[in-house]
């Protein structure tokens, strides 16, 4: 059964947010082997790209930005709305946008609950939608996760 | 006698008297390991990254230990550097009574017999060659050791050199009238008597594989062998444990016999005719291959009937030539030697036609006019490893690049080493501060069309930023090299040094002199280049240095893996490329004050899972995906 995780970003700064993303993606690549990450925009995708590339070598994550890399994408592909994305299915989807993801066929879905009220409301909507589709959902406090994985 | 530890103290006798000797912790570790291996006659493999000071780490214990040692380096230049620069000062302090010798390959020594022959026939030669001959003759009266490298006025590739030096084939050995004065013999004798001999890998394997007369004496006499630049050994060993026959060798023989007919044996018209026929058959045989120089699988190529027919013609003429020589045996030493050689060529030729034998890779290589047929053993592990085990000697292997992610198996398996002690010594340099590895974003795939344009963009930007420092742009293919060289010349005013325009040595000299030179070369420039400081501040490479899939030696190893059911990519291709990239990265930072940028224009380093293996094996440089970071880094280097 498809599984979803919402990380609650309360009391998390931008740097910790990036660190969380890297950790979630690294673990995802190791377990799921194919990951698509929907970033909010190209700038965020490039920031994430840089962070993944600078991870310690034992946490290497083979990845690409949309528009570079192998025709079918690297095991981890960083996308953003409006980019020319292939229709490839991945075992895991990470959603950093406000909109619900229309990707299909995943085993694991990762999303985030920001602190700002409007964005938080949008995340609640996505959560509800997924629950209606019968996805097994879980919420994790990002701060707890980081504390446990650092 | 002081211990290793005492000698490697900052205030030791060595540190205070030997210039450039600065002991560091990892160096002491290595020196102690070498001393132990020498004492126990063990096998030791040490990866010592740039800056660990590995040369002193093996020289000191070797000079301190009893017995005879051979040190083998990668090239003639390194041999000379070691012998003339590093060794003398150490020896003076540690072992003033030890005798040391430098032994080079046969082609480096004047052959008195061939010099005389060339002088007799000098009317046959062109003007350049004649004047070079005069220079060699006058030098020959002054020289002590007959090392032709000391003839200053001659280029390294001067036309006259092959005429006045000998090869294993044309050497007359004990039958030579000049045997007692022979420089090769003298150098070998000196080497045999010395306590410490410095050789190079080619010479070493020629000795081990008994590829030359008088060989096979040097190694058994030694108690220890130390290989520096040991990462080159598997390839060189394969070469020497294989067999090859080239049209050039056979042609040389034919031409020598024709000269002999013209100069002395004037009644042997038949010799001249037989030589001509042989030469024609060789030319015809060259024509069965494509016009452009190429390499390929000889086993497959030989399936064609036309190829077999042409090979048979060569064999017939070789065989006839052999008969003619036989009929005149005893008339001249050179002719007797020619008969021997012809017999060997005939035997090898026949051997190389029998491509159904397993355990070898059969391949050919052509130049515009010549061809060579090769058989290369799929693995040298049995032969080399077996030799080592039977030897009761100490065997020490060191290089800056042997391990892939701290694992030595790629190296030790290829050479058949048996449970050697291994040691990995990290570089003392601060790569996070000193170097940046940049993989620019949004590059096309290496095989895609837009690649040339993308590389051109990157190179132009880098050149604009790196005005004061040197830049290497290295390519995996000649095609891309030429393309970028042409286009770059249109957009930059800086002078470009392009491989192929002059010799590699000249190019490097110019590059170092210029200080902010721009050198475009193929990835062979990786090896053995030592440019310190700002003269080399940025290296750009177009592709990860995987060996070309049509490289016959690579094919042989891949075949071997397939036969043994092993993943050839992971076991052969990947480690080889990792070590090549590591070599290149090592060129950038040569001492503690060097700074530099490595730009890899190959997506696969970040997008393929094996990218991690490359990164794990490279020095821990700061990494960025943004070309602007690299540009900034270079600009900062300019402002002191």
């Amino acid at each position: 059964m498809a599984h979803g995780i919402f990380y609650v970003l309360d009391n998390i700064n931008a740097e910790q947010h990036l660190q969380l993303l890297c950790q979630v993606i690294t673990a995802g690549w190791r377990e799921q082997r194919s990951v698509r990450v929907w970033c909010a925009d190209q700038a965020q995708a490039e920031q994430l790209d840089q962070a993944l590339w600078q991870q310690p070598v034992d946490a290497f994550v083979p990845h690409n930005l949309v528009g570079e890399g192998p025709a079918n994408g690297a095991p981890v592909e960083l996308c953003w709305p409006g980019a020319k994305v292939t229709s490839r299915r991945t075992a895991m989807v990470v959603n950093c946008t406000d909109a619900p993801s229309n990707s299909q066929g995943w085993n694991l879905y990762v999303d985030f609950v920001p602190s700002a009220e409007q964005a938080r409301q949008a995340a609640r909507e996505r959560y509800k939608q997924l629950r209606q589709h019968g996805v097994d959902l879980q919420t994790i406090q990002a701060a707890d996760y980081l504390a446990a994985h650092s | 006698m002081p211990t290793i530890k005492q000698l490697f103290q900052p205030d030791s006798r060595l540190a205070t008297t030997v210039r450039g000797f600065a002991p560091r912790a990892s160096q002491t570790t290595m020196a102690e390991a070498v001393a132990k291996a020498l004492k126990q006659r063990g096998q030791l493999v040490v990866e010592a990254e740039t800056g660990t000071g590995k040369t002193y780490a093996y020289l000191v214990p070797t000079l301190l230990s009893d017995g005879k040692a051979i040190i083998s380096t990668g090239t003639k230049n390194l041999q000379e550097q070691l012998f003339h620069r590093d060794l003398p000062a150490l020896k003076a302090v540690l072992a003033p009574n030890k005798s040391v010798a430098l032994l080079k390959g046969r082609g480096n020594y004047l052959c008195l017999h061939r010099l005389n022959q060339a002088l007799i026939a000098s009317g046959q030669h062109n003007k350049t060659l004649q004047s070079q001959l005069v220079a060699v003759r006058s030098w020959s009266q002054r020289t002590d050791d007959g090392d032709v490298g000391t003839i200053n006025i001659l280029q390294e590739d001067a036309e006259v050199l092959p005429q006045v030096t000998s090869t294993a084939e044309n050497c007359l050995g004990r039958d030579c009238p000049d045997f007692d004065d022979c420089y090769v013999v003298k150098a070998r004798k000196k080497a045999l008597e010395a306590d410490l001999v410095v050789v190079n890998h080619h010479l070493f394997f020629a000795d081990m594989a008994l590829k030359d007369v008088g060989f096979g004496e040097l190694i058994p006499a030694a108690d220890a062998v130390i290989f520096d630049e040991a990462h080159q050994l598997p390839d060189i060993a394969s070469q020497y444990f294989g067999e090859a026959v080239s049209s050039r060798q056979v042609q040389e023989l034919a031409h020598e016999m024709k000269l002999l007919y013209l100069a002395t044996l004037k009644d042997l018209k038949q010799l001249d005719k037989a030589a001509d026929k042989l030469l024609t058959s060789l030319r015809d045989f060259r024509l069965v291959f494509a016009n452009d120089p190429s390499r390929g699988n000889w086993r497959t190529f030989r399936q064609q009937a036309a190829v077999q027919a042409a090979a048979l013609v060569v064999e017939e003429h070789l065989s006839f030539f052999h008969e003619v020589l036989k009929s005149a045996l005893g008339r001249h030493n050179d002719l007797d030697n020619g008969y021997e050689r012809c017999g060997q060529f005939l035997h090898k030729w026949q051997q190389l036609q029998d491509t159904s034998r397993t355990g070898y890779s059969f391949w050919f290589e052509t130049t515009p006019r010549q061809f060579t047929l090769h058989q290369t053993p799929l693995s040298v592990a049995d032969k080399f490893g077996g030799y080592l085990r039977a030897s009761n000697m100490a065997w020490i292997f060191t290089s800056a690049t042997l391990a892939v992610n701290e694992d030595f198996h790629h190296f030790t398996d290829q050479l058949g080493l048996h449970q050697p002690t291994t040691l990995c010594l990290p570089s003392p340099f601060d790569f996070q501060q000193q170097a940046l590895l940049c993989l620019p974003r949004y590059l096309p795939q290496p095989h895609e069309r837009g690649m040339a344009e993308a590389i051109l963009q990157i190179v132009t930007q880098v050149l604009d930023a790196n005005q004061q420092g040197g830049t290497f742009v290295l390519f995996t293919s000649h095609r891309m090299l030429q393309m970028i060289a042409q286009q770059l010349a249109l957009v930059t005013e800086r002078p470009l040094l392009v491989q192929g325009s002059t010799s590699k040595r000249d190019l490097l000299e110019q590059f170092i002199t210029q200080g902010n030179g721009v050198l475009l070369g193929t990835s062979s420039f990786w090896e053995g280049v030592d440019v310190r400081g700002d003269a080399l501040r940025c290296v750009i490479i177009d592709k990860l240095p995987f060996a070309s899939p049509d490289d016959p030696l690579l094919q042989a190893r891949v075949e071997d893996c397939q036969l043994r059911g092993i993943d050839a990519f992971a076991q052969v291709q990947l480690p080889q490329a990792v070590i090549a990239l590591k070599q290149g990265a090592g060129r950038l930072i040569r001492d503690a004050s060097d700074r530099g940028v490595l730009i890899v224009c190959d997506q696969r380093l970040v997008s393929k899972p094996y990218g991690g293996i490359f990164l794990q094996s490279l020095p821990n440089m700061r990494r960025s995906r943004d070309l602007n970071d690299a540009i900034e880094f270079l600009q900062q280097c300019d402002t002191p």
Side-chain angles (χ1 to χ4, degrees):
Chain A
M1 189 170 146
H3 185 72
I5 302 174
F6 279 74
Y7 288 93
V8 182
L9 300 177
D10 295 346
N11 306 316
I12 290 287
N13 63 28
E15 194 187 323
Q16 287 170 313
H17 185 191
L18 191 60
Q19 189 192 342
L20 171 74
L21 266 172
C22 285
Q23 288 186 7
V24 166
I25 291 168
T26 307
W29 137 248
R30 285 181 183 156
E31 285 153 26
Q32 306 286 339
R33 308 315 282 179
S34 67
V35 185
R36 170 159 289 166
V37 185
W38 284 102
C39 299
D41 51 29
Q42 184 169 356
Q44 193 198 15
E46 289 182 0
Q47 190 191 24
L48 183 56
D49 162 50
Q50 180 82 330
L52 287 173
W53 177 237
Q54 290 176 342
Q55 289 207 100
V57 285
D58 55 4
F60 177 77
V61 175
H63 69 274
N64 70 327
L65 292 155
V66 183
E68 62 169 23
N72 287 320
V76 174
E77 193 167 26
L78 311 181
C79 323
W80 55 91
K84 247 174 91 182
V85 177
T86 59
S87 58
R88 176 176 79 130
R89 290 188 172 189
T90 57
M92 175 174 167
V93 169
V94 179
N95 183 25
C96 305
T97 70
D98 278 346
S101 157
N102 56 7
S103 298
Q104 287 176 346
W106 40 260
N107 303 322
L108 179 63
Y109 174 90
V110 172
D111 207 324
F112 302 89
V113 185
S115 305
E117 194 43 48
Q118 209 178 345
R120 201 175 188 92
Q121 191 53 40
R124 282 198 191 107
E125 288 303 318
R126 298 198 295 279
Y127 186 93
K128 257 188 238 163
Q129 232 178 36
L130 284 165
R131 197 173 52 195
Q132 278 164 8
H133 281 96
V135 177
D136 173 32
L137 288 172
Q138 182 187 4
T139 52
I140 295 176
Q141 288 294 326
D144 294 348
Y145 180 88
L146 283 172
H149 289 83
S150 60
Chain B
M1 174 110 33
T3 63
I4 297 282
K5 223 182 203 107
Q6 286 164 349
L7 283 169
F8 283 86
Q9 292 295 326
D11 55 354
S12 77
R13 194 150 46 102
L14 275 184
T16 47
T17 50
V18 178
R19 256 185 74 205
F21 182 86
R24 35 216 123 155
S26 49
Q27 192 180 37
T28 317
T29 312
M30 175 169 168
E32 285 180 322
V34 171
K36 194 173 159 200
L38 289 173
K39 201 169 158 209
Q40 300 177 340
R41 306 205 165 214
Q43 296 179 8
L44 172 70
V45 182
V46 187
E47 177 175 88
E49 282 184 30
T50 331
T52 37
K54 67 175 155 48
T55 312
Y56 287 148
Y58 65 74
L59 280 180
V60 171
T62 307
L63 283 167
L64 288 179
S65 76
D66 298 326
K68 183 184 173 73
I70 299 173
I71 295 177
S72 182
T73 63
T75 62
K76 209 160 65 183
N77 288 344
L78 290 169
Q79 228 183 317
E80 284 181 343
Q81 198 180 311
L82 187 76
F83 190 79
H84 295 299
R85 196 183 76 184
D86 304 328
L87 196 54
L90 281 186
K91 181 180 121 64
V93 179
L94 295 175
N97 297 325
K98 280 208 171 193
S99 58
V100 295
L102 177 67
L103 181 63
K104 300 187 191 175
R106 169 190 285 286
N108 294 286
Y109 298 99
L110 176 71
C111 171
L112 293 166
H113 177 64
R114 284 182 56 79
L115 173 64
N116 287 332
Q117 295 294 100
L119 286 169
I120 293 171
S122 89
Q124 313 274 340
H125 302 312
N126 64 41
K127 281 262 154 55
T128 334
L129 197 55
Q130 284 187 9
S131 70
Q132 288 179 349
L133 261 178
V134 173
V136 174
R137 187 177 54 184
S138 71
W139 164 83
S140 74
Q141 279 144 16
R142 301 187 306 262
T143 180
D144 290 330
D145 56 4
D147 183 345
V148 293
T150 61
I151 315 178
N152 291 331
I153 52 163
L154 287 186
Q155 293 282 333
E156 209 173 352
D157 52 354
E159 209 182 332
V160 72
L161 291 179
Q163 307 288 334
V164 296
T165 55
S166 63
T167 62
E169 287 97 36
N170 62 27
C171 172
L172 299 180
R174 288 191 185 279
D175 298 332
C176 180
D178 296 302
F179 185 78
D180 293 337
D181 300 315
C182 176
Y183 290 114
V184 176
V185 173
K186 281 186 192 164
R188 300 206 126 259
K189 193 157 170 275
K190 200 171 166 213
L192 274 172
E193 286 161 0
D195 298 313
L196 180 68
V197 190
V198 181
V199 300
N200 61 55
H201 301 338
H202 285 276
L203 196 60
F204 181 89
F205 280 102
D207 199 283
M208 190 177 215
L210 304 173
K211 279 294 162 82
D212 202 344
V213 204
F215 271 69
E217 297 168 351
L218 192 59
I219 311 173
D223 300 292
V225 180
I226 297 148
F227 294 101
D228 200 344
E229 300 286 305
H231 63 280
Q232 301 173 348
L233 292 179
D235 280 1
I236 297 176
S238 301
Q239 225 172 304
Y240 280 89
F241 288 121
E243 293 282 0
V245 58
S246 74
S247 54
R248 194 183 295 276
Q249 290 173 312
V250 183
Q251 272 173 7
E252 261 169 30
L253 172 67
H255 284 301
E256 277 170 41
M257 294 302 115
K258 277 169 72 75
L259 266 180
L260 196 61
Y261 155 75
L262 281 173
T264 10
L265 305 174
K266 296 185 178 156
D267 60 316
L268 279 182
K269 181 76 190 144
Q270 212 191 4
L271 183 64
D272 191 48
K273 273 191 179 162
D276 280 335
K277 280 191 178 147
L278 179 58
L279 287 169
T280 312
S281 73
L282 289 170
R283 274 194 295 274
D284 288 347
F285 191 75
R286 170 63 186 87
L287 295 176
V288 304
F289 300 99
N291 284 340
D292 290 332
S294 62
R295 295 210 273 193
N297 186 322
W298 170 236
R299 196 181 263 151
T300 326
F301 194 78
R302 205 185 156 272
Q303 311 274 323
Q304 302 168 66
V307 176
Q308 288 180 28
L312 199 60
V313 176
V314 174
E315 187 176 331
E316 279 165 7
H317 287 300
L318 258 177
S319 179
F320 180 63
F321 193 52
H322 195 227
E323 287 302 313
V324 174
L325 287 164
K326 191 178 175 185
S327 66
L329 272 178
R331 300 231 1 225
H332 196 283
N333 276 341
D334 286 346
L335 184 134
D336 292 0
N337 168 273
Y339 169 75
E340 294 278 324
R341 277 151 76 196
C342 187
Q344 283 162 10
F345 290 145
L346 182 60
H347 175 70
K348 275 193 207 167
W349 186 265
Q350 286 163 338
Q351 222 184 5
L352 280 156
Q353 303 309 316
D354 180 12
T355 53
S356 59
R357 285 170 299 140
T358 56
Y360 294 94
S361 153
F362 294 91
W363 52 286
F364 65 83
E365 192 173 28
T366 64
T367 62
R369 281 154 190 259
Q370 308 286 350
F371 63 84
T372 311
L373 303 182
H374 298 265
Q375 70 174 43
T376 305
L378 292 181
S379 157
V380 296
D382 293 345
K383 274 189 179 163
F384 189 78
Y387 191 104
L388 263 55
R389 268 198 294 283
S391 71
N392 187 32
M393 289 155 60
W395 295 86
I396 294 155
F397 304 84
T398 183
S399 162
T401 50
L402 289 175
V404 174
N405 190 16
E406 303 203 353
D407 178 358
F408 284 97
H409 274 104
H410 172 65
F411 178 75
T412 56
D413 289 355
Q414 272 185 306
L415 288 182
L417 304 187
H418 182 65
Q419 300 182 333
T421 311
T422 60
L423 193 60
C424 235
L425 299 174
S427 170
F429 302 152
D430 183 357
F431 281 98
Q432 280 283 319
Q433 293 300 318
Q434 290 180 254
L436 178 75
L437 166 63
C438 176
L439 185 76
R441 290 187 180 116
Y442 307 115
L443 289 173
Q445 289 293 303
H447 60 269
E448 280 175 347
R449 270 172 157 238
M451 201 59 210
E453 180 55 34
I455 292 176
L456 196 65
Q457 288 289 338
I458 291 169
V459 176
T460 356
Q461 287 186 58
V462 164
L463 292 187
D464 284 344
N466 192 19
Q467 296 282 357
Q468 311 295 321
T471 309
F472 265 8
V473 192
L474 301 176
F475 300 89
T476 45
S477 80
H478 280 280
R479 202 181 57 88
M480 187 65 99
L481 165 64
Q482 291 307 332
M483 205 148 75
I484 301 287
Q486 276 169 17
Q487 294 179 14
L488 194 59
L490 300 175
V491 294
T492 181
E493 290 186 351
R494 293 176 61 177
L496 302 178
L497 301 166
V498 182
Q499 187 176 353
S501 56
T502 168
S503 76
K504 181 174 169 182
R505 210 165 93 176
D506 276 358
L507 278 180
L508 274 174
E509 259 165 34
Q510 289 184 46
F511 182 79
I512 292 169
T513 326
Q514 288 180 7
N516 66 344
V518 184
L519 191 148
L520 284 78
T522 59
S523 28
S524 72
F525 258 92
W526 284 134
E527 285 273 335
V529 172
D530 191 1
V531 184
R532 272 162 209 268
D534 294 340
L536 180 58
R537 204 183 268 162
C538 181
V539 174
I540 304 174
I541 64 166
D542 72 330
K543 251 169 131 180
L544 292 176
F546 286 106
S548 148
D550 59 5
D551 173 26
L553 203 58
L554 179 72
Q555 279 184 356
R557 300 219 173 106
V558 169
E559 242 174 78
D560 182 44
C561 276
Q562 285 160 350
L563 286 173
R564 292 188 292 149
I566 296 171
D567 176 3
F569 180 75
Q571 297 300 320
V572 179
Q573 280 142 297
L574 189 58
Q576 170 271 330
V578 167
I579 284 174
L581 188 64
K582 213 167 148 179
Q583 273 281 327
R587 301 295 131 200
L588 201 53
I589 305 297
R590 305 298 285 172
D591 66 43
S593 61
D594 259 9
R595 303 189 76 196
V597 176
L598 173 63
I599 301 176
V600 179
C601 303
D602 191 333
Q603 268 302 314
R604 293 174 294 179
L605 187 58
V606 62
S607 64
K608 294 282 186 190
Y610 59 68
I613 297 175
F614 278 95
L615 293 186
Q616 275 167 335
S617 302
L618 286 175
N620 187 22
M621 300 178 263
R622 205 175 100 210
R623 289 191 290 275
S624 175
R625 296 253 14 227
D626 190 345
L627 185 62
N628 291 325
D629 284 347
I631 303 288
E632 233 168 73
F633 190 101
L634 289 167
Q635 283 163 345
Q636 278 169 7
C637 289
D638 271 358
T639 47

